[in-house]
Amino acid sequence: HRSATMNVTEVYKEVARIYNVGNLSGNGSMGLFDIPPLLNKALNVLTILMLFITMISLGCVMEISKIKSHLFKPKGVAIALLAQFGIMPLTAFCLAKLLQLDPIQTVTLLICGCCPGGTLSNIFSLALKGDMNLSIIMTTCSSIAGLGLMPFLIFIYCKGFPGLEKAIPYVGIIITLVFTLVPCAFGIAINHYKPNYSPVVKKAGLSMLIILSITVFTLSFITIKDVVWVILMPDVLSVAALMPLIGFMLGYVMAVVCRLNPQCSRTVSMETGCQNIQLCTTILKVAFPPQVIGPMFLFPLLYISFQCAEALLLALCFRCYQTFKPPAEGK
């Protein structure tokens, strides 16, 4: 582990030199940033625990019969998968190029863009009166497909930034992805064999997630309070705001072009723009040494803030539209 850490750090320094970043401490991505080992270990454990609870809760809303029904009629799922793993990684790549992000910001953005769909998409799909079965199945399928597609897409898009693909800890990413499938399968088993327990597990999971989120946020703020400005730079704020919005818009357009009904189109829109932020945070925090990733491991927190605000705004606009003009689809 020590040699791997040193290799990644050395590669990052080389990439920084290629990009003419100059003074690393002045750039803010790496510099003298370091986390006390005990605090770093605590944050690692808490982020893994958050991901574990999230995936169990996701599994508890999945029904095997509905999964089978969508697999036999896979058009909606196929389009949603294409939108998720086509639009979002490409959006991350283009934004990184357009805004000329530094290497570690680029890595962070690409990992976020290549993540599968997140559980919040189910909530926003409900708010937009989308197809909930499609939403849940899409989240499930993207989580499974992400096991192969996420490392592959990161590798492909990193080739657009010379030397950057060598700085990606692919093994750590794959291990984290495999780890997400175990609690998800456990949740599906609970919902299938002990369905009465599912509501209890989901409620307990939500309570624990709130507590863990507050704890992680507090510890993280203590850790990066002196360099928090790094993730509040205009370029980082811009990509955090633009990426989910582009995902929502292009996801909807793609679904309409593929002739999905309005209800499914709204669902694909939410599934495209909503990333699995818990997975992204865990990868950034656990797979990268703190000296390399620096405060950028909190980028997903910025992303989810804009993601929620934009999704809620879209839901509000949709509800207002329904109030003042009854929808032609009759849903």
Side-chain angles (χ1 to χ4, degrees):
H1 176 75
R2 180 177 174 82
S3 61
T5 299
M6 289 176 65
N7 289 340
V8 173
T9 304
E10 288 167 5
V11 169
Y12 172 71
K13 287 179 179 178
E14 177 62 19
V15 171
R17 187 191 64 77
I18 293 172
Y19 274 74
N20 295 316
V21 172
N23 188 335
L24 289 175
S25 61
N27 177 262
S29 291
M30 185 173 169
L32 298 176
F33 180 81
D34 199 5
I35 303 177
L38 188 60
L39 181 56
N40 186 51
K41 186 173 291 186
L43 283 170
N44 286 351
V45 171
L46 290 174
T47 51
I48 291 173
L49 190 57
M50 284 177 63
L51 180 62
F52 189 85
I53 293 170
T54 299
M55 298 311 292
I56 287 182
S57 300
L58 174 61
C60 283
V61 299
M62 298 177 190
E63 296 180 24
I64 294 177
S65 59
K66 291 179 179 178
I67 292 174
K68 287 181 179 178
S69 67
H70 270 282
L71 290 179
F72 286 118
K73 295 180 179 179
K75 179 183 177 182
V77 174
I79 293 169
L81 277 172
L82 184 60
Q84 176 74 58
F85 291 108
I87 292 172
M88 296 309 288
L90 182 59
T91 299
F93 176 83
C94 292
L95 287 173
K97 282 287 188 182
L98 184 64
L99 295 174
Q100 298 182 334
L101 301 182
D102 75 31
I104 207 63
Q105 289 173 340
T106 299
V107 168
T108 302
L109 187 60
L110 287 175
I111 288 174
C112 185
C114 293
C115 274
T119 52
L120 279 176
S121 60
N122 307 140
I123 298 172
F124 296 138
S125 293
L126 180 63
L128 284 162
K129 296 187 178 180
D131 186 327
M132 291 309 297
N133 287 335
L134 176 60
S135 178
I136 293 168
I137 298 303
M138 177 52 214
T139 305
T140 309
C141 291
S142 68
S143 297
I144 296 170
L147 183 62
L149 286 176
M150 187 178 176
F152 174 73
L153 289 169
I154 292 172
F155 177 77
I156 292 298
Y157 281 108
C158 276
K159 283 186 172 294
F161 303 89
L164 201 59
E165 72 274 7
K166 297 177 182 178
I168 305 295
Y170 294 101
V171 174
I173 291 174
I174 293 172
I175 290 173
T176 306
L177 287 166
V178 171
F179 177 80
T180 65
L181 299 182
V182 176
C184 187
F186 185 63
I188 293 174
I190 292 174
N191 199 34
H192 183 69
Y193 295 107
K194 300 287 184 180
N196 294 336
Y197 292 170
S198 290
V200 177
V201 173
K202 286 186 286 186
K203 286 182 180 178
L206 179 60
S207 300
M208 292 177 68
L209 275 177
I210 292 172
I211 294 170
L212 286 171
S213 298
I214 294 172
T215 304
V216 168
F217 177 79
T218 303
L219 291 176
S220 299
F221 180 77
I222 292 171
T223 302
I224 69 163
K225 63 181 185 299
D226 295 329
V227 288
V228 70
W229 57 270
V230 172
I231 60 169
L232 297 179
M233 295 292 285
D235 52 358
V236 179
L237 289 172
S238 296
V239 296
L242 288 172
M243 204 162 119
L245 184 60
I246 293 171
F248 292 140
M249 297 302 180
L250 293 185
Y252 185 82
V253 169
M254 184 175 179
V256 170
V257 169
C258 293
R259 298 183 179 179
L260 291 183
N261 64 49
Q263 187 181 27
C264 288
S265 295
R266 294 193 297 270
T267 305
V268 171
S269 171
M270 291 298 104
E271 290 294 332
T272 304
C274 290
Q275 304 300 88
N276 190 330
I277 296 304
Q278 291 90 346
L279 173 62
C280 183
T281 303
T282 304
I283 289 173
L284 293 174
K285 188 68 196 68
V286 177
F288 287 88
Q291 298 88 352
V292 173
I293 197 65
M296 283 302 293
F297 78 89
L298 280 183
F299 173 78
L301 182 63
L302 271 186
Y303 184 94
I304 198 173
S305 300
F306 283 106
Q307 171 186 283
C308 290
E310 291 162 4
L312 289 173
L313 181 60
L314 291 173
L316 179 62
C317 291
F318 173 72
R319 295 286 180 154
C320 290
Y321 170 77
Q322 280 202 319
T323 300
F324 295 107
K325 183 179 179 182
E329 70 209 65
K331 294 188 181 294

